[in-house]
Amino acid sequence: MRNELLVIHCSATPEGQHFDKTDIIRWHTSPVDKGGRGWSKAGYNDVILLDGTLQSVIPFDTNNIVDYWEIANGAKGFNDRAIHVCYIGGLDVDGKTKDTRTLHQLNSLTIYVRYMILRNPEIKIAGHNQLSTKDCPSFDVPDWCRRIGVQQKNIYNP
């Protein structure tokens, strides 16, 4: 299926706490009885760490087709036509929703979104919360996209 969406997620972890792709993979693929979700794959293709480093979790190629091996379990009902990126954070120290993106994460996410639009000029950028009843990614993706200069045609509007 064609890659129609770039879905932005947060890891729903406390502000300032370091986690990486190894943690994401463990949380998503460990058996439920061991504290995981029991999924066959992680929920994100890429993860942006606190320092802005981009880590590949489920690699994808540069065509605009989501092949079976590229599918991440990020948003039920949309995975076969989406790429998923997650920034580490999204909660305050009390576990409440908060936009915790560091300056490094903001810079990396901006570059990532712009790159994905260059690769696929028809792609729509969405927050996970636009596709399901979740707080993730803890910020208003359409508003942020407009502030960084993303054209309206590339902003998901359900």
Side-chain angles (χ1 to χ4, degrees):
M1 177 156 298
R2 295 218 31 99
N3 181 12
E4 300 171 2
L5 292 170
L6 169 60
V7 183
I8 299 174
H9 300 263
C10 68
S11 61
T13 53
E15 182 173 17
Q17 289 191 15
H18 174 78
F19 296 98
D20 63 19
K21 77 176 194 174
T22 306
D23 298 304
I24 299 288
I25 293 167
R26 185 180 71 251
W27 297 335
H28 290 179
T29 63
S30 292
V32 174
D33 64 350
K34 300 227 189 290
R37 294 195 175 157
W39 296 347
S40 61
K41 292 182 180 182
Y44 318 121
N45 297 91
D46 289 317
V47 173
I48 298 174
L49 306 184
L50 296 175
D51 67 359
T53 300
L54 180 70
Q55 290 185 326
S56 179
V57 179
I58 300 175
F60 55 91
D61 57 31
T62 57
N63 68 23
N64 291 328
I65 306 298
V66 179
D67 296 309
Y68 175 76
W69 56 271
E70 297 173 307
I71 294 175
N73 290 328
K76 190 174 183 176
F78 295 90
N79 295 329
D80 63 346
R81 60 184 186 262
I83 296 295
H84 301 272
V85 62
C86 170
Y87 75 93
I88 297 297
L91 299 177
D92 68 13
V93 293
D94 296 321
K96 293 184 175 76
T97 300
K98 180 182 178 187
D99 181 358
T100 64
R101 292 173 295 164
T102 66
L103 181 58
H104 298 298
Q105 287 174 315
L106 282 165
N107 290 336
S108 293
L109 189 57
T110 300
I111 291 166
Y112 190 94
V113 165
R114 289 178 176 159
Y115 172 74
M116 294 300 283
I117 292 170
L118 284 173
R119 275 192 39 208
N120 180 356
E122 302 305 314
I123 200 164
K124 306 281 188 209
I125 313 304
H128 188 193
N129 57 0
Q130 292 178 271
L131 309 176
S132 67
T133 56
K134 299 191 180 271
D135 290 333
C136 174
S138 301
F139 70 96
D140 185 321
V141 170
D143 180 61
W144 175 75
C145 283
R146 284 188 284 278
R147 285 189 280 122
I148 65 166
V150 172
Q151 294 180 43
Q152 191 60 42
K153 74 172 194 150
N154 295 110
I155 300 173
Y156 181 75
N157 185 11

